[in-house]
Amino acid sequence: MTQMQFPKSFYWGVSTSAYQIEGASEEDGRGASIWDVFSHQPGKVVGGDTGDIACDSYHRVEEDLDLLDTLGVGMYRFSIAWPRIIPDGSGEINRLGLAYYDQLVDGLLAKGILPLCTLYHWDLPQSLQEKGGWANRQTAFAFEHYAGIVFEHFRGRIMHWITINEPWCVSFLSYALGQHAPGLTDLQAALEAAHHTLLAHGLGVKLFRAMNMPGQIGIAPNTEWFEPETDSIDDREAALRRNEFITDWFIAPVLKGIYPARVIEKYNQGGYTVPIKDGDFELISLPIDFLGINYYTGGRVRSTPGEGILELQETFTPMDKTDFHWNIYPDGFYHVLTDLKEKFGNIPIYITENGACFIDPIVDGQVQDKRRIAYLESHLDALHRSVQAGVNVQGYMCWSLMDNFEWSFGYCKPFGLVHVDFQTLIRTPKASFSWYQRVIRHHGLE
Ligand code: IFM
C-alpha cells in the first residue's frame, strides 16, 4: 500500500442524497418529486425500482448516525428534499419536513460531525415540473425562495452549503439524453435547464450573502477528464471540447462569468441558443467560498466525422472498468484538479463525490469489496499528488455511505461502503468501511 499523508485539518467524510436513501416518500406531508413520478413510469428504472422505501433512512436516523460515528468521519454530505420542505415547490412550508432534518443535523452536531448540506440533488417538486421544470426560468426563483427558508431555519447549525449537485445531470442527462427525470430528449430545453440551474445557484449565493449567513457556500459540478486518442489536431480538439462540454460548461460561468466558446459555437451551429438575460452572468459568477468536485471517470476520445453535439465519443484504448462500466482513470482526477487550478485559480475545493460501483456478494455476513478499496486507494493517490502540486483541497467525501437507489439503475448498482439488504434493510459494513476508518484515523494511507 502506498504511503500518503493529508493535512490534519483535512475533512474526511461520506456523501448521500435524499431521494437515494430516505424513502418515506408519502410521509409527513412530503410532496411528490419528479423522481417519484419518473420511477413509477414503466420501463424508466431497471427492475421497476423506485425510491419509495430506498434505505429507509427517514426512519433510521439514529442507526445511520451511529454508522457515521463508527466510521469516524468529520463531515457528512447529505441533501435536503425540496418537496419535504415545500410540498408544491413554492407555497406552504411543511414543518414536519424541517423537523426530520433537525433530527439529522442536531444528531450530527452532537457527534461532532459537520453537516455539508446540498440544497438540490435532483428531487424537483413535481408541481414545478408541470410548469416546465428547470426549462422554466421561474424555477430558479422558486429555488431561491426554498433556499431562503432552509438557510434561516439552519442558520448557525449548518456551516457548509452546496446549491446544486451536478447541474450537467440536472439538465443534459435529464432533458436531452432522457435518462433521468423528467426524461426528455430536447436539447434546446436542456440548454435552458442548464442555464436556469446556474441562475438558481447564483440567486442562492446572492441570498446567502444578503441574509448574512454564517458559513460557506459553493456548487458541486460533475467533472470528467478526457485525453485525445492520438496527437492529431482533430482528436486534441475533440478532447478539449469533451472536457469543456461536461466540466467547464458549469465551472467557467461560475468562476469566470462565461460559457466555453468552443462549445457554445457547436450549439449555435446546430441552431441551439442559451437563454442568457442581462445580469445573469453577474449573478452566476458571484464569488463562492469553495468548489465541490464530483469525479468518477474519464478516458480517451477520438474525433468522429460528422460527430453530433451530444455524441459522447468512445474510448478506443481499453481501460479497466467498474461494474457500472465506467473507466477507472485516477490520473484523470489529478488532471481535472490541476487543470482547474491553472484555468480558474486556486479556489478551495472539497471533493464532494468520488467512489465506485462494484457488485460483491455478502458471504457469512461479510462483503470483501477489494476492487472498491483499490479504486479508492488509486484516487486518493491522485488526490494526494494534486495537493502536492498545490491544489487547495480541503476535504474528501466518498460516495457513498451505503448502497442506495442508483437512479435509473435502481438497486442493482451499489456504491456503498455499507451493504444494504433491500429486503430487510439491514446494514452491513463492507471491508472498504474498515479500510476507510483506517484512512480517516491516520489522515491518509500508511
Ligand atoms: O449516485 C450518483 C449521485 O447521485 C450523483 N453522482 C454520481 C453518483 C453515482 O452515479
Side-chain angles (χ1 to χ4, degrees):
M1 196 196 283
T2 10
Q3 205 183 357
M4 68 186 81
Q5 285 293 305
F6 285 82
K8 293 251 176 341
S9 57
F10 198 78
Y11 287 107
W12 297 99
V14 281
S15 271
T16 62
S17 88
Y19 190 72
Q20 291 178 275
I21 66 163
E22 285 176 5
S25 62
E26 290 186 0
E27 244 167 276
D28 291 341
R30 178 185 178 278
S33 79
I34 53 174
W35 270 96
D36 296 298
V37 173
F38 186 75
S39 65
H40 279 267
Q41 283 167 16
K44 297 296 186 193
V45 176
V46 173
D49 291 344
T50 71
D52 291 1
I53 299 174
C55 306
D56 195 34
S57 292
Y58 191 79
H59 298 116
R60 293 165 195 253
V61 178
E62 294 307 326
E63 187 179 348
D64 291 345
L65 284 169
D66 285 345
L67 277 173
L68 292 165
D69 200 23
T70 308
L71 186 54
V73 292
M75 200 173 238
Y76 175 54
R77 176 175 179 234
F78 65 97
S79 77
I80 291 188
W82 182 348
R84 276 199 203 287
I85 309 303
I86 310 179
D88 73 356
S90 53
E92 292 291 304
I93 302 173
N94 175 31
R95 297 279 155 201
L96 290 175
L98 286 168
Y100 165 66
Y101 296 105
D102 281 336
Q103 195 193 347
L104 177 65
V105 169
D106 293 345
L108 288 169
L109 294 174
K111 291 190 183 300
I113 301 171
L114 289 180
L116 169 56
C117 173
T118 307
L119 286 165
Y120 186 72
H121 197 127
W122 309 355
D123 40 7
L124 188 75
Q126 175 62 19
S127 45
L128 295 180
Q129 189 59 46
E130 278 151 24
K131 295 177 193 148
W134 286 106
N136 180 348
R137 193 176 165 90
Q138 287 313 310
T139 298
F141 295 93
F143 172 84
E144 181 188 21
H145 172 65
Y146 152 66
I149 289 158
V150 178
F151 286 156
E152 196 49 60
H153 189 79
F154 290 102
R155 177 185 287 277
R157 285 190 286 163
I158 298 177
M159 301 295 280
H160 296 83
W161 297 89
I162 287 169
T163 51
I164 308 277
N165 182 65
E166 297 186 350
W168 186 85
C169 296
V170 175
S171 50
F172 293 101
L173 193 63
S174 308
Y175 285 75
L177 296 169
Q179 293 172 21
H180 277 194
L184 304 185
T185 48
D186 175 347
L187 181 53
Q188 182 54 41
L191 279 168
E192 286 159 13
H195 187 67
H196 297 148
T197 53
L198 285 171
L199 185 63
H201 159 78
L203 289 165
V205 173
K206 183 173 171 220
L207 184 65
F208 189 81
R209 307 288 183 222
M211 288 172 69
N212 264 320
M213 287 292 295
Q216 304 181 9
I217 191 161
I219 183 169
N222 35 329
T223 64
E224 292 184 0
W225 185 262
F226 286 86
E227 290 285 334
E229 177 71 15
T230 72
D231 210 26
S232 74
I233 293 179
D234 285 351
D235 282 3
R236 278 190 278 146
E237 186 67 19
L240 284 174
R241 196 166 50 240
R242 181 80 168 82
N243 289 333
E244 290 179 350
F245 167 68
I246 290 201
T247 302
D248 294 8
W249 186 259
F250 294 95
I251 295 181
V254 170
L255 296 183
K256 270 199 175 160
I258 46 161
Y259 282 118
R262 207 183 324 257
V263 186
I264 216 163
E265 192 188 312
K266 259 276 197 195
Y267 287 134
N268 291 342
Q269 279 166 3
Y272 301 100
T273 51
V274 187
I276 306 165
K277 293 211 168 156
D278 280 354
D280 283 1
F281 280 130
E282 282 73 10
L283 275 170
I284 292 169
S285 64
L286 281 171
I288 51 176
D289 302 301
F290 66 89
L291 186 65
I293 291 293
N294 294 0
Y295 178 86
Y296 291 90
T297 190
R300 303 178 74 84
V301 293
R302 186 183 280 177
S303 147
T304 318
E307 162 202 316
I309 299 168
L310 274 178
E311 274 161 31
L312 310 181
Q313 305 95 328
E314 286 300 312
T315 297
F316 292 88
T317 310
M319 285 180 151
D320 288 342
K321 295 193 186 334
T322 66
D323 288 344
F324 213 29
H325 305 295
W326 286 353
N327 292 327
I328 301 176
Y329 188 27
D331 278 348
F333 195 17
Y334 173 83
H335 289 309
V336 160
L337 293 167
T338 47
D339 182 66
L340 268 172
K341 176 170 179 261
E342 219 165 274
K343 283 197 204 137
F344 302 111
N346 212 9
I347 182 164
I349 286 177
Y350 283 90
I351 306 307
T352 33
E353 285 182 31
N354 173 242
C357 163
F358 287 111
I359 304 166
D360 293 297
I362 181 157
V363 180
D364 296 333
Q366 294 190 349
V367 181
Q368 296 298 343
D369 56 338
K370 295 200 178 95
R371 293 173 299 164
R372 177 170 291 100
I373 294 174
Y375 174 100
L376 294 173
E377 244 178 54
S378 63
H379 284 73
L380 282 187
D381 177 65
L383 181 65
H384 190 248
R385 282 188 278 127
S386 78
V387 173
Q388 284 178 321
V391 181
N392 188 2
V393 188
Q394 307 277 316
Y396 174 87
M397 308 298 121
C398 180
W399 184 273
S400 175
L401 170 63
M402 56 188 149
D403 297 343
N404 56 46
F405 178 78
E406 181 50 39
W407 306 111
S408 47
F409 291 89
Y411 296 103
C412 68
K413 297 290 183 195
F415 277 78
L417 300 177
V418 174
H419 173 273
V420 178
D421 177 324
F422 290 101
Q423 303 304 315
T424 61
L425 298 167
I426 289 175
R427 281 101 160 109
T428 307
K430 302 179 189 177
S432 57
F433 183 94
S434 315
W435 170 86
Y436 196 41
Q437 254 179 341
R438 289 195 297 278
V439 168
I440 296 172
R441 204 175 301 134
H442 297 301
H443 307 283
L445 296 168
E446 342 189 277

